[in-house]
Amino acid sequence: MEILRNIPKAEVVNLANLVAYADGQVVSKTLVQNNGLGITLFAFAKDEGISTHESKGDAMVVALDGKGRITIDGKDYELAAGDSIVMPANHPHAVYGIEPFKMLLVVAFPEAAVPS
């Protein structure tokens, strides 16, 4: 059973190069999605974003390229390549590309959210 997908194995890769920008779009590439963990690469065109929502898991963002804005509980945080932030579970958050922006999103879901 393949757990990690859409990524080369036993090979050095640059994560930012695994997802491409597209004008006027948010592009995503899922690497893992199961009951306990989600790992997704995103590429946001300038001025594109994901509207305010909540997640049942803690979500860590790692900025890979460009500049983005993460809003958590109505407070804005700017991220550039190399920066990280955690969006806590059950708190409203949003993501916006101030300029073209790539990020790695890792969401860890609590055991209580994992169906038995």
Side-chain angles (χ1 to χ4, degrees), residues 4-17:
L4 272 170
R5 57 190 170 143
N6 298 319
I7 187 169
K9 307 222 177 29
E11 179 180 323
V12 176
V13 297
N14 180 311
L15 291 175
N17 292 340

Side-chain angles (χ1 to χ4, degrees), residues 30-116:
T30 301
L31 305 180
V32 173
Q33 189 63 56
N34 60 44
N35 291 332
L37 180 67
I39 302 176
T40 308
L41 291 167
F42 285 92
F44 295 81
K46 183 181 186 319
D47 296 325
E48 294 297 325
I50 298 173
S51 61
T52 302
H53 63 285
E54 293 182 18
S55 171
K56 298 219 180 292
D58 287 334
M60 182 177 71
V61 170
V62 179
L64 302 173
D65 185 51
K67 186 182 286 185
R69 179 173 61 237
I70 307 294
T71 304
I72 304 170
D73 291 326
K75 183 174 179 183
D76 292 338
Y77 303 86
E78 284 191 15
L79 280 77
D83 293 337
S84 298
I85 192 166
V86 173
M87 302 178 291
N90 305 308
H91 287 254
H93 58 269
V95 183
Y96 177 79
I98 296 170
E99 57 186 50
F101 177 60
K102 291 183 181 180
M103 67 179 218
L104 175 70
L105 176 69
V106 179
V107 184
F109 296 98
E111 285 186 41
V114 177
S116 49

